[in-house]
Amino acid sequence: MRIISRLASGVALAALAGCATLDAAPVADAPAPVISAVAPGAPGDRPTWSNAAKTGAGASYEAYVDGQYRDGGRTGDVSRVWFSLADGVLTETMYGLIHQAQIKQLRFAVVTDTGLSVEGTDTTSRTEYLHTDDHGRPLSPAYRVITTDKQGRYEIEKRIFTDPDNQALVVRATIRALKGQVTPYVLLEPHMANTGVGDSGEAQRGALHASEGDVHLTFRPTLPFETASVGFVGASDGLTDLADGRLDNVHETTGNQPGAIMLTGGLPRLGPNQSLSRDFVIGFGSTRTAASSAANRTVATGLDEVLARFNGEGDRVGWEDYIASLTDLPRIAEQSTDGGKLAWASALMLKVQEDRTYAGALIASLSNPWGDTVDATESSTGYKAVWPRDFYQVAMALMALGDAETPVAAFRYLPRVQVRADTPGNTGATGWFLQKTHVDGEIEWVGVQLDQTAMPIMLGWKLWKAGRIGDAELAAIYARMIKPAADFLVDGGTAGILWNDRRITPPWTQQERWEEQEGYSPSTTAAVITGLTVAADIARASGDPASAARYLAAADDYASKVEARMFTTAGEYGDGRYFLRLSRNENPNDKLPLGENNGQPAMPEDRIIDGGFLELVRYGVRAADAPSIVASLPEYDDQTREARFRVRYDLNGVPGFRRYGNDGYGENADTGGNYGVGGMTPGQRGRVWPIFTGERGHYELAALLANPSADQDWNRAQLNLIRQTYVRGMESFGNDGLLLPEQVWDGVGDATPHGYRPGQGTNSATPLAWTHAEYIKLLRSLADRAVWDRYAPVEARYAR
């Protein structure tokens, strides 16, 4: 296969050799700035994170060593650096564990003849992959990002990737003056140790430095800056100083007072039609020396060679090798409608979003939701954390791709996030899985969500049946992890950790899959029934028939009461017969109000519909043509309902769905503001989630497979209709970086400052690993002509 690496080697080598492309006589310098030792204005403005609508996310591919991440394997030393892109600029960049951000953003400010222009704010952008195959499918998460001034005065091209053998990030930039003179400055805003406060900095023309505690970075240009400065954001930083078109003051250090800081490096002024290429390397380490050494080693390797190693070109081991290892990717990508581009990108995104210290630790998203208005004074993970539900979706998608190693590592990781007697602070029941944790297992949220306790069992059964886990290992992990989880799904118990002291009586769950309500949930119950059914199969294979019988008895009981508990026959809508999002008790007809959430008022449970009932079909708990399922579809699909309660929105011809009616987890429909800005208010509105387009596609496939026609041409036509509707629909929600979001704009309410179009990803979280996973699983299901998440023992026992 011919590989296309879009490299401007001549320009890059010229820059490394100390040359810049200057097509006209040098322009006279501005007056020299005033130099002072210590920057004033500590601690600076209150910091935030950056836009969560990422168009790129990357990290090096690292090969396992005996199922773990260790130095010395096929890919050499392990790089633990991740980066993200949004609005055409480098955004949150992590080093250490995957949630430990060290940089908020790196962008250029450009002084022009007609005023200051700042990347992101005053530019448009596009994101491309540097390394693709003949079909334009990405082979590595290395990016070219091009920003263009909205007034046409300049253009900046950046090539961004990590060094797979060092703790370093590479940015190769070319600035082109298109109209008039321009003077570029590079601005780096550290958020060391995962906060935007407490940072210290130093500025020299040869390198910029930032640190907090035992975390350091060195920002090294391959040629010295014209000027270098460090200052406190909003007071003495370079961007504030440049407001008048000149850098009037430069500061060498932040002194003894830490805070929110910005590092600034000045570049030569360019005349009309001149261009300048400069390379930058950011090294990270536990000391200043280690950070500087990391940057220096990367430069010494040669940046073309670093990229070739990152890509895995020739006999080098890198991302090409990972893509080639995905045995099912080419086959399932034939079900795409974009030539496989999103499938290849999804494979990259699922693997990128794994920690490189704790093998198999799969996070939800390399972003902080609505980050540009989220306070960064305290350390937070955002979505860079482990939820067993999202984790399951990703592991199952990696299995669908043919990844033989990561799902196994993921399964072996799971005991780290299961509640045990020795879990710090636990005085209550054991066996259930923590709601949300850091990748090292540090506890963050502790609500009990029964689907998150069932899904690890389900994943284990799938791996066992696929031959990825042997009988001996299964028996060992059955005793250690699966049996305690299954026992909790039968017996429940009283939680005793942090604030949580609730009694859980399955299948009643303290929180359902949206982490907001307690009661009986169709989606949660579907997972619980499935988990117990396959746990019984594992128990028998592990020599525990008594537990197997107990698990099946509980599953039978739960399955027999699905409709009685969660299907109303006296609802507000239509003929009154449909599944509720959730029933607070065992009577789905009593119209009890659900709890207030996300600023939304409490509403009777029969007015709140979601698509959770489709999970009953996905796993095999109910047949696709079960009367309760069929009766619920018209209410789920009703687009005449008032906006508050409406769930389905067809966007550009694509069926789209919100999480549920009355959802407030999204931008404010009254003001256009981000979620949470101004507090939890009734104007907040959860938007359309692309996940549900995939879930509906899975249902339509299940319905077709349950009742195929004798006319094979008709069957093929229906399969193609599913592809053209649901696969194409999910592809339409991707951005130019081929990343899929958590939410897309539904067109309801005031426009946001971002000016979203209907169907465009919002600032909630991109890339969402679950969305990419759902897309991959839909491709696999269509390729197999079988629902990938279907469990044969469940279908045989319950589907009716």
Side-chain angles (χ1 to χ4, degrees):
M1 174 169 55
R2 183 171 66 87
I3 306 301
I4 303 170
S5 289
R6 302 189 184 109
L7 298 174
S9 300
V11 171
L13 289 173
L16 280 172
C19 300
T21 306
L22 290 171
D23 299 327
V27 178
D29 290 334
V34 176
I35 300 174
S36 62
V38 179
D45 287 350
R46 193 175 185 87
T48 64
W49 296 104
S50 59
N51 185 1
K54 309 303 184 188
T55 59
S60 302
Y61 168 67
E62 303 294 339
Y64 293 135
V65 178
D66 298 326
Q68 299 296 321
Y69 284 120
R70 291 200 295 268
D71 293 343
R74 293 188 304 129
T75 48
D77 289 350
V78 177
S79 172
R80 296 181 172 89
V81 178
W82 296 259
F83 66 90
S84 62
L85 309 171
D87 298 323
V89 305
L90 178 77
T91 54
E92 285 93 351
T93 298
M94 281 59 66
Y95 156 70
L97 300 181
I98 196 169
H99 69 272
Q100 292 175 331
Q102 313 299 340
I103 295 172
K104 172 185 176 177
Q105 61 185 347
L106 183 153
R107 55 188 168 154
F108 284 86
V110 181
V111 175
T112 75
D113 293 340
T114 53
L116 182 67
S117 174
V118 181
E119 265 195 310
T121 304
D122 301 313
T123 56
T124 61
S125 66
R126 69 180 189 271
T127 302
E128 302 171 350
Y129 286 89
L130 275 177
H131 194 49
T132 64
D133 65 13
D134 287 341
H135 304 285
R137 301 176 301 200
L139 294 173
S140 83
Y143 296 92
R144 173 195 283 119
V145 184
I146 299 171
T147 54
T148 303
D149 175 55
K150 292 176 181 177
Q151 297 184 37
R153 295 167 293 185
Y154 65 88
E155 179 181 86
I156 300 174
E157 177 181 329
K158 298 181 293 293
R159 300 156 189 243
I160 302 173
F161 48 92
T162 62
D163 184 343
D165 298 314
N166 276 299
Q167 311 307 324
L169 174 77
V170 177
V171 179
R172 312 189 76 173
T174 297
I175 303 98
R176 302 180 183 94
L178 304 179
K179 186 192 304 182
Q181 299 178 358
V182 301
T183 306
Y185 294 83
V186 61
L187 309 173
L188 175 64
E189 292 178 67
H191 270 24
M192 305 300 293
N194 204 39
T195 73
V197 295
D199 295 348
S200 299
E202 294 182 22
Q204 301 166 344
R205 290 181 60 219
L208 308 174
H209 304 276
S211 66
E212 180 177 344
D214 60 357
V215 187
H216 297 252
L217 72 77
T218 294
F219 181 33
R220 176 185 165 179
T222 52
L223 290 173
F225 292 116
E226 301 294 299
T227 55
S229 184
V230 61
F232 293 98
V233 174
S236 54
D237 66 275
L239 182 59
T240 299
D241 194 348
L242 285 168
D244 63 356
R246 296 193 314 168
L247 190 66
D248 300 302
N249 300 278
V250 299
H251 313 290
E252 298 174 344
T253 177
T254 53
N256 296 324
Q257 297 189 66
I261 70 172
M262 182 185 295
L263 301 164
T264 301
L267 299 177
R269 182 181 298 181
L270 305 177
N273 301 315
Q274 288 185 334
S275 64
L276 172 72
S277 293
R278 287 289 170 89
D279 295 329
F280 308 96
V281 178
I282 306 173
F284 301 93
S286 58
T287 65
R288 177 169 173 166
T289 299
S292 296
S293 296
N296 292 341
R297 285 193 301 271
T298 296
V299 173
T301 299
L303 302 189
D304 285 344
E305 175 62 21
V306 170
L307 179 58
R309 293 179 185 180
F310 182 89
N311 293 336
E313 298 177 47
D315 60 359
R316 306 169 185 87
V317 179
W319 277 108
E320 280 189 38
D321 299 272
Y322 177 70
I323 289 293
S325 76
L326 303 177
T327 54
D328 289 289
L329 174 57
R331 179 177 69 89
I332 70 174
E334 292 176 2
Q335 301 301 316
S336 71
T337 70
D338 71 344
K341 294 182 180 65
L342 182 58
W344 257 250
S346 294
L348 295 172
M349 286 306 101
L350 294 173
K351 186 63 175 175
V352 161
Q353 296 180 103
E354 177 195 14
D355 189 60
R356 299 298 194 266
T357 298
Y358 296 93
L362 305 171
I363 65 165
S365 177
L366 206 67
S367 65
N368 282 52
W370 294 283
D372 54 356
T373 52
V374 172
D375 181 84
T377 58
E378 299 291 336
S379 178
S380 66
T381 57
Y383 279 3
K384 300 186 290 291
V386 172
W387 279 267
R389 175 176 43 257
D390 299 61
F391 185 104
Y392 163 85
Q393 311 295 344
V394 174
M396 286 292 292
L398 290 167
M399 281 187 68
L401 288 164
D403 184 330
E405 295 184 310
T406 313
V408 176
F411 182 63
R412 291 170 178 165
Y413 166 88
L414 281 165
R416 182 176 293 275
V417 295
Q418 186 177 29
V419 177
R420 306 177 305 274
D422 62 351
T423 295
N426 183 45
T427 60
T430 60
W432 56 283
F433 283 78
L434 290 160
Q435 178 185 358
K436 178 190 178 187
T437 66
H438 298 189
V439 292
D440 61 0
E442 180 181 338
I443 297 169
E444 191 161 351
W445 295 349
V446 295
V448 178
Q449 300 172 10
L450 293 183
D451 60 339
Q452 296 208 128
T453 296
M455 286 174 173
I457 304 172
M458 295 157 61
L459 175 61
W461 186 88
K462 284 283 191 179
L463 288 167
W464 175 46
K465 289 301 180 180
R468 303 298 186 192
I469 298 273
D471 290 349
E473 180 175 359
L474 184 75
I477 206 162
Y478 168 73
R480 179 186 178 195
M481 182 182 83
I482 293 175
K483 187 178 189 303
D487 286 344
F488 188 84
L489 294 178
V490 174
D491 301 325
T494 301
I497 190 165
L498 299 181
W499 56 265
N500 194 354
D501 59 359
R502 290 295 298 278
R503 170 73 188 176
I504 312 300
T505 305
W508 183 95
T509 186
Q510 186 179 24
Q511 295 177 352
E512 33 67 87
R513 67 175 175 169
W514 307 127
E515 309 191 286
E516 298 168 347
Q517 299 284 351
E518 62 183 43
Y520 296 93
S521 155
S523 60
T524 299
T525 303
V528 170
I529 293 167
T530 303
L532 285 171
T533 304
V534 298
D537 202 11
I538 296 170
R540 282 191 296 269
S542 302
D544 187 3
S547 290
R550 199 166 82 93
Y551 300 153
L552 284 178
D556 288 346
D557 177 62
Y558 301 162
S560 71
K561 297 174 181 175
V562 164
E563 280 77 11
R565 284 172 167 157
M566 292 167 282
F567 184 84
T568 183
T569 58
E572 173 81 13
Y573 306 125
D575 64 1
R577 298 174 55 82
Y578 49 86
F579 274 108
L580 306 176
R581 173 200 172 193
L582 182 133
S583 179
R584 296 296 294 270
N585 56 30
E586 296 192 60
N587 180 2
N589 293 323
D590 62 6
K591 302 181 184 293
L592 280 181
L594 298 184
E596 296 181 5
N597 277 105
N598 296 315
Q600 306 311 295
M603 291 289 176
E605 59 193 15
D606 66 317
R607 300 190 71 184
I608 310 301
I609 292 176
D610 78 346
F613 67 95
L614 297 178
E615 298 293 271
L616 294 163
V617 177
R618 180 194 287 259
Y619 300 140
V621 178
R622 289 291 182 269
D625 59 358
S628 58
I629 300 294
V630 173
S632 300
L633 288 171
E635 306 313 325
Y636 185 46
D637 286 339
D638 186 356
Q639 298 191 69
T640 66
R641 198 165 294 142
E642 67 173 283
R644 174 180 292 280
F645 298 108
R646 179 178 166 186
V647 178
R648 178 168 175 168
Y649 285 78
D650 288 0
L651 303 173
N652 306 315
V654 175
F657 304 86
R658 301 169 67 206
R659 292 193 302 176
Y660 53 84
N662 203 41
D663 183 8
Y665 186 60
E667 292 81 3
N668 194 302
D670 297 332
T671 67
N674 278 352
Y675 172 77
V677 173
M680 297 292 111
T681 65
Q684 290 182 166
R685 176 180 172 81
R687 307 292 169 168
V688 164
W689 289 49
I691 288 169
F692 305 126
T693 299
E695 287 191 358
R696 184 55 174 271
H698 272 107
Y699 170 76
E700 297 297 339
L701 176 62
L704 175 62
L705 296 172
N707 294 287
S709 170
D711 183 344
Q712 293 304 311
D713 288 339
W714 185 89
N715 291 334
R716 282 190 289 270
Q718 294 304 114
L719 285 167
N720 189 56
L721 180 61
I722 293 171
R723 288 179 61 244
Q724 293 300 324
T725 303
Y726 299 101
V727 172
R728 183 187 64 80
M730 291 199 76
E731 291 164 356
S732 76
F733 294 135
N735 58 33
D736 61 349
L738 298 174
L739 305 193
L740 290 170
E742 177 187 78
Q743 299 183 46
V744 300
W745 188 248
D746 60 5
V748 175
D750 286 350
T752 73
H754 296 282
Y756 301 127
R757 304 179 308 274
Q760 180 182 357
T762 72
N763 188 11
S764 56
T766 304
L768 192 72
W770 186 351
T771 315
H772 282 281
E774 184 66 20
Y775 174 72
I776 290 296
K777 291 193 291 180
L778 182 57
L779 295 182
R780 179 65 189 250
S781 297
L782 286 163
D784 291 352
R785 304 296 190 264
V787 174
W788 179 244
D789 281 307
R790 182 66 56 86
Y791 290 79
V794 177
E795 182 177 22
R797 194 172 187 91
Y798 301 114
R800 59 183 186 273

